[in-house]
């Protein structure tokens, strides 16, 4: 799970350094245009990626739009996986936004009469991976084409309303930048279909609009929820006095604040995210993530068996470990414990002796005891029956198991369209009230993922619900007693991937809130597994899946885990796992671990393991014991409620054991040349202003060379920071300047060709053939999705791309690896063509039930400029058996040859070869076994190669 405490520590010191500036709207628009141009001119645009899944775990849904007249037809919007359409009740989905400039979505709205779709880009849930968008997208042809309608600098869209009587009239709530202040936030309205916009409500530059709701029968009456928040890499505050409810009676053209002190709705600094639902002209509901503290409760006032602070002062270890996770989590979360302090983590700490139960009580009595002496109120429901004039709290007890302390990630409320007392709340579970919000019951099921963000209620079929959560779409026809899971789209949000050396090799990956999985790279995604019960990908671990290291000597042994450094050594053959997180010594400050803690097996010895906290730890025996080989390698972090001042990346040179680089989330890059005996900071001359170091990569080709990528996402800064050093980091060369503006997550150096580099950004993948002097967009078959990780399987020469929204992609890069500077200088280069195995079944279907088996050979070539090229297929004695002409583009091209004779070629062959050739049922005559030559010519150049039909 990706949440963190929404009550922030007050920062008492002023920032003494220059804050990186957020990227301007003009730069963003220019980058989108540049990327579009690169798409047309890229020399690798004909090299396609294929998606290899997985699908079963799905990904985070933010909204659904259902056809009210045909509920089996709806759109599902994924946070970073685009928009998908179904017209068969979720049995299958089709992506309809793959040609758009982003896959990041906050909200959608559909005018079903005209087929017009509005997409508010940029997720609105404000999590650590809530990616920004590019404003409002509109399609008038059901997703075939998209047009940007403005509000590019809004970054994140909260809600879109379309006037049912006039689809050109649209009201939009924009939450604004996530990590910085900006003006383009608030309520915007258009009456001309998006050609022009009027800002009708603006609170201030740190307060946006997270929700807008209308009276179902009257577009003129609308309610809007303003939300004040401030996120930084080290701290998140999700509440403020400017969070409030506003009302419009003129279709969103003007607004009045209605959540006043006199109204009965909370006001003040503790007001957090608000969600709205309108039943009719009079009845309105609001769910509120209250960050106000609960009144202190004396022993006599304790009415339940819920845990309180004093319980831990006398609790034994045995009693503590016997607590249920849900009960312990309720205490930890509502008392504002750090997000890494959740039941499994804390129990593990007690189990291994890192802390004692009494330390939990002591934690609440430290220097911050005034902040955490009592828990926050959390989720609460308010109802107005006089059109928002007055509000009354409906829930009789605290709703402890819904929001915990991170309601900023949820705050969604729905009312049954025909019964104002049926209320649904979306949070960690999905809960329902049948008494107007007084009491609630859980209605999600064992096949329903936690963390809910969207819900549609069928007004005409009782019990019919369509739910969107962190695990995709679920559908119920009995009001949540049972659920159907609809998870066919490949929309996994990967943090990290890796591969082993098996045949076929396996792909491993850690996903947001969906654990760690492994599957064969050639596994076929289909629904057949529902019949066999054998899904080709297997789960290795739950939680938020993190990095994976596989022992090259035995791929059954691997190292992986979940957030904040909770790593395990797993032996799949023995079905065993051992917890291996390093522990600080008694009296030493606890180690700080990043959400995605870096872990690395040494290429010099697969028993040696590195793990980065704020210090670097090394194990010489597969994690059984650890030694700390550094001091604090970060810039020290900052006070806040998010882990910060932590290592994010570790790399060891393949040339020398102990030549190690580290990078941190607060901008520090360090090097040791003696296994940690001494360290040198090499980032000062980068002047990186505390940017997040996403990768440091020691070169595979030169000992002195190292690559670094920095990421400004947590400043809303999209500059592509990519650097190379040829002197161990003493000096740096900027090699990312020609990449369109987008935060950079990863750089990968090819193991065979030192000039070949790959870079993954928040908006796509790029390749360079000249060590970063220039870059080519590399996204054929892959939409504009965030690329989080890259890995090359060296034997297969496959590039694997781990995306945060569209699972894993694969392509073969053997041809790219051949592109040296001399090859690039040629007018024409024809690559070696793979041999093919002959079959007498070519062109012959076994029955009418099946299609004929048709062969093919791909003729790959590089052309220095576009033009017409002819490929002649010849026998080894130069008899022409076929010829194919193709219009080629500059760069890499693929000519597909069907391995069949042309009419004249067959005649030529029979004249010189006294053999019988049999025509297949598909009407073609295929080449017999033997060696053949391909001769390619065009643009005043000729090249040739051979292949064999075996």
């Amino acid at each position: 799970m990706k949440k963190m405490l929404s009550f922030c520590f007050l920062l008492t010191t002023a920032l003494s350094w220059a804050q990186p500036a957020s990227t301007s709207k003009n730069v963003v628009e220019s980058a989108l245009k540049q990327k579009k141009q690169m798409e047309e001119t890229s020399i690798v645009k004909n090299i396609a990626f294929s998606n290899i899944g997985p699908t079963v775990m799905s990904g985070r849904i933010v909204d659904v739009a259902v056809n009210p007249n045909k509920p089996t037809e709806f759109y599902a919007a994924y946070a970073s996986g685009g928009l998908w359409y179904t017209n068969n009740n979720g049995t299958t989905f089709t992506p309809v936004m793959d040609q758009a400039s982003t896959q990041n979505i906050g909200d959608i709205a559909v005018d079903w009469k005209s087929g017009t779709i509005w997409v508010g880009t940029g997720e609105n849930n404000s999590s650590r991976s809530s990616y920004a968008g590019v404003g409002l997208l509109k399609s008038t042809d059901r997703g075939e084409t998209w047009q940007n309608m403005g509000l590019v600098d809004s970054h994140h869209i909260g809600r879109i309303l379309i006037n049912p009587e006039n689809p050109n009239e649209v009201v939009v709530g924009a939450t604004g930048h996530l990590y910085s202040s900006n003006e383009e936030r608030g309520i915007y309205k258009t009456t001309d279909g998006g050609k022009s916009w009027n800002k009708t409500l603006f609170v201030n530059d740190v307060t946006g609009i997270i929700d807008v709701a209308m009276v179902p029968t009257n577009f003129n009456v609308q309610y809007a929820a303003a939300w004040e928040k401030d996120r930084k890499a080290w701290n998140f505050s999700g509440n403020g006095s400017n969070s409030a409810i506003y009302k419009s009676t003129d279709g969103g053209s003007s607004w009045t604040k209605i959540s006043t002190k006199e109204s009965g709705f909370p006001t003040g600094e503790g007001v957090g995210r608000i969600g709205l639902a309108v039943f009719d002209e009079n009845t309105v509901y609001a769910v509120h993530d209250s960050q106000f503290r609960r009144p202190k409760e004396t022993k006599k006032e304790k009415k339940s068996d819920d845990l309180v602070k004093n319980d831990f002062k006398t609790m034994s270890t045995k009693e503590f470990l016997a607590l249920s996770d849900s009960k312990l989590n309720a205490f930890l979360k509502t008392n504002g414990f750090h997000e890494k302090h959740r039941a499994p983590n804390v129990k593990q700490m007690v189990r291994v002796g890192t802390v004692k139960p009494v330390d939990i009580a002591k934690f609440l009595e430290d220097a911050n005891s005034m902040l955490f002496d009592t828990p926050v109120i959390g989720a609460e429901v308010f109802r107005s029956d006089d059109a928002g004039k007055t509000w009354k709290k409906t829930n009789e007890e605290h709703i402890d198991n819904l929001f915990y302390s991170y309601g900023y990630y949820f705050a969604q409320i729905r009312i049954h369209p025909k019964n104002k007392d049926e209320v649904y709340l979306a949070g960690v579970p999905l809960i329902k009230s049948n008494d107007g919000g007084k009491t609630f019951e859980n209605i999600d099921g064992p096949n329903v993922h936690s963390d809910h963000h969207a819900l549609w209620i069928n007004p005409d079929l009782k019990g019919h619900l369509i739910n969107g959560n962190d695990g995709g779409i679920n559908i119920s026809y009995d009001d949540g007693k049972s659920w159907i899971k609809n998870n066919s789209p490949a929309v996994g949000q990967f943090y990290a991937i890796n591969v082993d050396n098996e045949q076929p090799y396996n792909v491993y990956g850690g996903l947001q809130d969906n654990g760690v999985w492994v599957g064969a790279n050639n596994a076929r995604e289909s629904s057949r597994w529902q019949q066999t019960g054998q899904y080709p990908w297997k789960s290795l671990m739950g939680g938020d899946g993190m990095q994976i290291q596989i022992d090259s000597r035995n791929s059954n042994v691997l190292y992986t885990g979940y957030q904040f450094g909770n790593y395990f050594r797993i032996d799949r053959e023995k079905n065993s796992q051992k917890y291996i997180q390093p522990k600080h010594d008694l009296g030493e400050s606890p180690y700080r671990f990043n959400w995605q803690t870096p872990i690395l097996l040494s290429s010099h010895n697969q028993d040696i393991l590195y793990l980065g906290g704020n210090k670097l730890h090394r194990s010489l025996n597969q994690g059984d014991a650890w030694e700390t080989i550094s001091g604090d390698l970060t810039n020290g972090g900052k006070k806040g409620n998010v882990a910060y001042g932590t290592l994010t990346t570790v790399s060891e040179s393949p040339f020398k054991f102990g030549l190690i680089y580290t990078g941190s989330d607060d901008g520090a890059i360090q090097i040791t040349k003696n296994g940690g005996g001494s360290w040198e900071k090499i980032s000062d001359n980068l002047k990186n202003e505390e940017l997040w170091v996403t990768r440091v990569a020691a070169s595979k080709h030169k000992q002195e060379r190292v690559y670094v990528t920095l990421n400004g996402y947590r400043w809303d800064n999209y500059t592509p920071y990519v650097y190379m050093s040829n002197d161990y980091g003493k000096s740096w060369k900027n090699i990312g300047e020609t990449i369109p503006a987008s935060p950079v997550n990863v750089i990968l150096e090819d193991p065979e060709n030192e000039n070949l580099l790959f870079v993954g950004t928040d908006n796509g993948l790029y390749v360079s053939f000249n060590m970063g002097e220039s870059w080519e967009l590399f996204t054929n078959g892959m939409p504009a999705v965030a690329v989080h990780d890259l890995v090359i399987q060296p034997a297969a020469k496959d590039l694997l791309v781990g995306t945060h929204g569209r699972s894993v992609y694969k392509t073969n890069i053997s041809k790219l690896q051949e592109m040296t500077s001399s090859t690039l200088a040629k007018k024409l280069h024809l690559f070696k063509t793979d041999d093919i195995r002959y079959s007498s079944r070519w062109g012959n279907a076994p029955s009418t039930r099946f299609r004929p088996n048709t062969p093919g050979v791909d003729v790959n070539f590089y052309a220095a400029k576009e033009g017409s090229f002819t490929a002649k297929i010849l026998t080894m004695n130069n008899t022409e058996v076929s010829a194919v002409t193709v219009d080629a583009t500059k760069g890499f091209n693929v000519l597909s040859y069907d391995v069949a004779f042309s009419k004249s070629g067959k005649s030529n062959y029979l004249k010189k070869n006294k053999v019988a050739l049999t025509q297949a049922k598909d009407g073609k005559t295929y080449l017999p076994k033997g060696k053949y030559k391909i001769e390619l010519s065009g643009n005043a150049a000729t090249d040739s190669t051979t292949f064999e039909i075996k």
Side-chain angles (χ1 to χ4, degrees):
M1 297 164 72
K2 75 305 296 160
K3 308 88 185 171
M4 66 283 296
L5 179 66
S6 60
F7 191 98
C8 73
F9 291 97
L10 297 176
L11 297 178
T12 58
T13 58
L15 302 180
S16 60
W17 37 266
Q19 175 175 319
S22 62
T23 298
S24 71
K25 168 187 173 182
N26 291 340
V27 172
V28 171
E29 290 178 328
S30 176
L32 293 175
K33 291 178 182 177
Q34 180 188 356
K35 189 182 176 203
K36 189 68 177 176
Q37 292 171 350
M38 293 179 73
E39 186 178 313
E40 298 297 322
T41 61
S42 173
I43 65 172
V44 292
K45 66 181 179 181
N46 294 321
I47 297 179
F49 284 88
S50 60
N51 190 292
I52 64 171
T55 63
V56 69
M57 73 291 297
S58 196
R60 184 163 68 247
I61 289 282
V62 292
D63 198 15
V64 293
V66 185
N67 186 341
N69 299 316
K70 182 188 173 186
T72 56
E73 181 183 19
F74 60 90
Y75 291 92
Y78 291 84
S80 57
L83 185 64
W84 295 68
Y85 169 77
T86 180
N87 61 6
N88 56 15
N89 207 33
T91 303
T92 59
F93 287 87
T94 303
V96 296
M97 218 172 84
D98 280 9
Q99 303 307 312
S101 53
T102 184
Q103 296 297 297
N104 307 325
I105 301 179
D107 192 57
I108 59 173
V110 179
D111 178 58
W112 290 98
K113 295 176 184 176
S114 65
T116 299
I117 310 167
W118 286 85
V119 173
T121 66
E123 186 187 0
N124 58 37
N125 288 319
S126 298
S127 77
R128 69 182 67 248
S129 58
S130 292
Y131 286 109
V134 294
L136 287 164
L137 301 181
K138 178 183 179 182
S139 174
T140 56
D141 51 15
R142 303 181 185 274
E144 290 293 324
T145 59
W146 294 91
Q147 183 179 359
N148 192 305
M149 306 308 295
L151 305 189
V152 172
D153 200 44
S154 65
H155 279 204
H156 303 269
I157 299 296
R159 192 70 74 195
I160 304 171
L161 298 183
I162 303 174
N163 186 341
E165 306 303 320
N166 178 10
N168 285 320
E169 188 176 2
V170 180
V171 171
V172 175
T175 63
H177 289 192
L178 179 57
Y179 285 94
S180 58
S181 60
N182 77 308
E183 296 289 323
E184 195 162 271
R185 58 176 75 207
I187 293 284
Y188 290 82
K189 180 176 179 177
T190 181
T191 56
D192 55 13
K195 295 177 183 177
S196 61
W197 295 92
N198 291 318
K199 184 190 286 189
T200 62
L201 175 61
F202 176 74
V203 180
N204 61 32
D205 62 3
V206 294
T207 304
I209 302 300
I210 187 62
D211 203 2
V212 190
M214 58 175 273
V215 172
T217 57
N218 187 353
F219 184 78
N220 284 324
V221 181
Q222 300 175 13
Y223 298 83
W227 185 23
E228 181 178 357
K229 65 187 188 308
D230 178 33
R231 179 181 274 285
K232 295 291 184 286
W234 58 90
N235 195 77
F236 180 57
S237 171
N239 50 278
S241 60
N242 289 300
S243 299
I245 301 175
Y246 291 79
K247 182 179 180 180
S248 172
T249 57
D250 55 10
S253 296
S254 62
W255 296 87
T256 302
K257 184 177 179 180
I258 61 172
S259 57
T260 61
K261 290 182 179 179
E262 298 76 22
S263 71
F265 196 87
T267 59
E269 288 295 327
V271 180
R273 179 172 174 174
I274 301 166
L276 301 168
V278 183
F279 181 75
D280 58 18
E281 297 276 0
N282 297 311
T283 302
V284 187
Y285 280 90
V287 60
H288 172 223
D289 171 35
S290 175
Q291 294 301 296
F292 289 105
R293 297 284 147 184
R294 298 182 186 183
K296 290 187 177 181
E297 191 176 77
T298 65
K299 272 191 174 181
K300 291 182 180 179
E301 292 172 332
K302 188 177 179 183
K303 299 178 182 178
S304 69
D305 64 348
D306 289 348
L307 293 168
V308 295
K309 178 180 65 178
N310 289 337
D311 291 338
F312 297 96
K313 292 184 176 180
T314 58
M315 188 179 293
S316 68
T317 297
K318 184 177 180 180
E319 290 170 330
F320 180 83
L321 294 176
L323 292 173
S324 70
D325 282 2
S326 60
K327 187 175 182 179
L328 180 56
N329 270 332
F331 175 84
L332 296 171
K333 295 174 181 178
T334 56
N335 277 275
F337 275 73
H338 195 286
E339 56 182 334
K340 71 178 179 181
H341 293 144
R342 296 299 178 249
N345 309 48
V346 176
K347 282 186 175 181
Q348 183 66 27
M349 294 171 73
V350 171
R351 187 178 292 114
V352 301
T354 303
V355 299
K356 297 177 181 179
V358 68
D359 291 323
I360 294 174
K362 290 180 179 178
F363 177 83
L364 297 177
E365 295 172 345
D366 64 10
N368 298 311
S369 60
M370 293 303 293
L371 290 175
F372 298 112
D373 195 43
T374 53
V376 298
I377 293 172
E380 55 183 1
V381 177
F382 287 83
R383 173 170 165 170
S384 173
D385 287 306
D386 55 9
K389 293 178 183 177
T390 61
W391 298 83
K392 290 183 180 180
K393 189 173 178 177
T394 66
N395 51 295
E396 299 172 343
E397 303 289 341
H398 293 303
I399 311 175
D400 287 333
N401 296 318
L402 184 69
F403 286 174
Y404 302 106
S405 61
Y406 41 86
Y408 70 86
Y409 190 63
F410 305 112
Q412 299 283 349
I413 185 169
R414 301 290 184 269
I415 313 170
H416 194 287
K418 293 186 177 179
N419 184 347
K420 62 184 177 182
D421 290 325
E422 286 190 37
V423 183
Y424 299 79
L425 294 180
V428 177
L430 183 65
I431 62 177
K432 183 191 176 184
S433 172
N434 289 308
D435 54 13
K438 295 178 181 178
T439 61
F440 289 87
E441 63 177 350
N442 192 323
I443 64 167
D444 54 17
N447 65 335
V448 179
H449 200 290
S450 59
D451 299 352
H452 301 265
H453 307 283
L455 183 69
W456 179 81
I457 306 163
N458 192 332
D460 302 315
L461 181 60
K462 186 172 177 57
H464 181 199
L465 308 173
I466 301 179
N467 166 236
N469 52 63
D470 272 15
I473 291 288
N474 287 88
I475 299 174
S476 177
Y477 285 95
D478 50 18
D479 213 17
K481 292 184 177 64
S482 58
W483 293 88
I484 304 165
K485 192 169 183 67
N486 306 81
N487 55 350
S488 59
V491 288
Q493 295 177 300
F494 279 84
Y495 287 122
I497 60 171
N498 210 338
V499 295
D500 61 24
N501 296 315
E502 299 296 319
Q503 293 184 349
Y505 68 86
N506 297 299
V507 181
Y508 302 73
L511 299 98
Q512 185 274 325
D513 213 10
N514 277 295
V516 182
W517 291 72
V518 58
N521 81 91
N522 58 352
R524 297 182 63 183
E525 282 288 337
S526 76
S527 58
R528 179 170 171 74
W529 72 271
Q530 297 175 11
Q531 168 66 22
T532 64
Q534 297 296 317
Y535 187 70
W537 289 70
K538 306 299 179 185
S539 175
L540 296 176
M541 183 166 289
D544 279 81
M546 292 298 150
Q547 297 184 9
I548 311 100
Q549 291 288 292
I550 308 105
D551 193 319
S552 62
R553 303 162 303 186
N554 178 5
S555 63
N556 286 311
V557 177
L558 58 99
Y559 304 83
T560 190
Y562 53 90
Q563 60 268 37
F564 295 117
N566 286 284
Y567 277 99
F568 297 78
R569 184 180 69 236
I570 296 175
D571 190 320
R572 297 181 67 200
E573 187 175 31
K574 297 178 180 178
N575 194 28
S576 66
Q577 65 179 34
K578 179 179 180 179
Y579 185 73
I580 61 169
Q581 186 187 68
K583 293 190 298 180
H584 63 281
D585 293 331
L586 187 65
E588 184 183 12
S589 297
Y591 301 137
R592 301 188 299 270
F593 293 101
N594 192 266
W595 176 262
Q596 188 183 152
T597 295
I599 190 169
L600 177 70
L601 274 173
S602 174
S603 61
H604 303 279
N605 185 329
Q606 292 286 279
D607 286 335
I608 298 178
L609 185 67
Y610 299 100
L611 191 149
N614 56 313
K615 303 176 181 181
L616 186 64
H617 310 280
R618 180 178 66 195
S619 173
L620 302 177
N621 53 10
Q622 300 181 304
D624 285 337
W626 293 94
E627 56 182 333
T628 302
I629 61 172
S630 77
D632 193 330
L633 294 174
T634 75
N635 284 321
K638 292 182 182 297
K639 189 176 181 180
N641 55 25
V642 180
Y644 189 66
T646 62
L647 296 183
T648 53
T649 176
V650 178
S651 181
E652 184 179 37
S653 172
F655 291 99
K656 181 183 177 182
F657 174 70
L659 173 52
I660 305 167
Y661 299 88
T662 66
S664 72
D665 55 9
D666 59 357
I669 304 169
Q670 307 259 9
I671 182 176
T672 177
K673 298 178 183 178
N674 53 13
S678 60
W679 290 86
E680 179 186 359
K681 192 175 182 182
I682 56 174
S683 51
D684 287 344
N685 57 352
L686 279 175
K687 294 183 173 58
N688 61 6
E689 302 174 301
E690 302 195 19
L691 295 168
W692 195 288
V693 184
T694 49
R695 281 297 189 282
V696 55
S699 173
K700 305 176 183 71
H701 297 279
K702 184 179 181 181
Q703 182 170 311
E704 301 85 2
R705 184 176 297 154
V706 60
Y707 294 93
V708 162
T709 59
L710 309 172
N711 186 300
Y713 160 76
R714 291 161 186 84
W715 300 101
D716 292 319
N717 181 299
Y718 299 166
T719 304
Y721 299 100
V722 186
Y723 297 94
M724 177 182 71
S725 172
N726 279 313
D727 54 12
Y728 299 104
K730 289 184 174 63
S731 61
W732 297 94
K733 179 182 180 182
N734 186 343
I735 61 171
E737 291 179 303
T738 60
I739 297 174
S742 184
V744 177
N745 300 311
V746 57
I747 186 169
L748 180 65
E749 180 190 50
D750 184 76
E752 295 190 12
N753 184 341
E754 68 174 334
N755 292 305
L756 186 60
L757 303 176
F758 303 92
V759 158
T761 75
D762 279 355
N763 199 32
L765 176 67
Y766 297 85
V767 60
S768 174
F769 294 94
N770 49 20
M771 213 176 291
E773 292 293 330
S774 62
W775 295 89
E776 305 288 338
L777 184 65
F778 194 17
T779 56
N780 183 357
M782 186 166 58
V785 64
V787 174
H788 265 223
D789 205 4
L790 299 168
V791 65
I792 293 171
Q793 213 297 328
K797 303 181 185 297
D798 285 343
L799 172 68
L800 286 302
V801 182
T803 73
H804 201 77
R806 294 298 285 268
S807 293
V808 181
Y809 288 84
K810 178 180 75 171
T811 194
N812 188 271
I813 58 168
S814 59
K815 309 300 185 294
L816 277 63
Q817 291 175 328
E818 293 184 37
M819 297 306 291
T820 62
S821 55
S822 59
T823 306
L824 284 165
K826 294 171 63 176
K827 291 182 178 180
L828 174 65
H829 179 75
L830 180 59
F831 297 97
K832 178 72 175 72
T833 300
D834 294 335
D835 296 336
I836 188 172
R837 188 161 296 279
Y838 177 81
S839 173
S840 60
R841 295 190 297 271
W842 286 350
N844 299 314
S847 72
T848 55
R849 290 177 55 199
F850 301 96
R851 293 180 179 178
N853 176 19
T854 55
V857 167
D858 285 339
V859 179
N860 294 272
F861 64 99
Y862 176 85
K865 63 179 182 179
E866 65 178 24
S868 179
F869 290 79
T870 299
K872 294 180 180 180
I873 315 301
L874 309 164
T875 65
M876 297 308 290
N877 60 6
N878 290 322
T879 300
E880 183 179 319
V881 295
S882 189
V884 183
T885 299
V886 62
D887 289 329
T889 60
K890 178 183 177 180
F892 292 84
N893 293 269
V894 181
L895 185 156
S896 294
Y897 170 52
D898 61 6
V899 202
F901 285 100
S902 65
K903 186 176 180 180
S904 60
K906 182 177 179 180
S907 176
N908 292 339
Y909 185 84
L910 290 174
K911 287 177 182 178
K912 295 185 178 182
N913 297 274
K914 304 302 181 182
V915 296
L917 296 176
T918 304
Q919 181 173 292
K921 292 179 181 178
D922 65 358
K924 295 181 180 180
T925 301
Y926 292 96
L927 302 184
K929 294 180 181 179
K931 290 185 177 181
Y932 297 87
K933 182 166 62 173
I934 302 173
E935 188 178 275
L936 183 68
S937 59
N939 282 346
T942 300
D943 202 357
S944 63
T945 187
T946 62
F947 74 99
E948 184 176 2
I949 301 176
K950 297 182 177 180

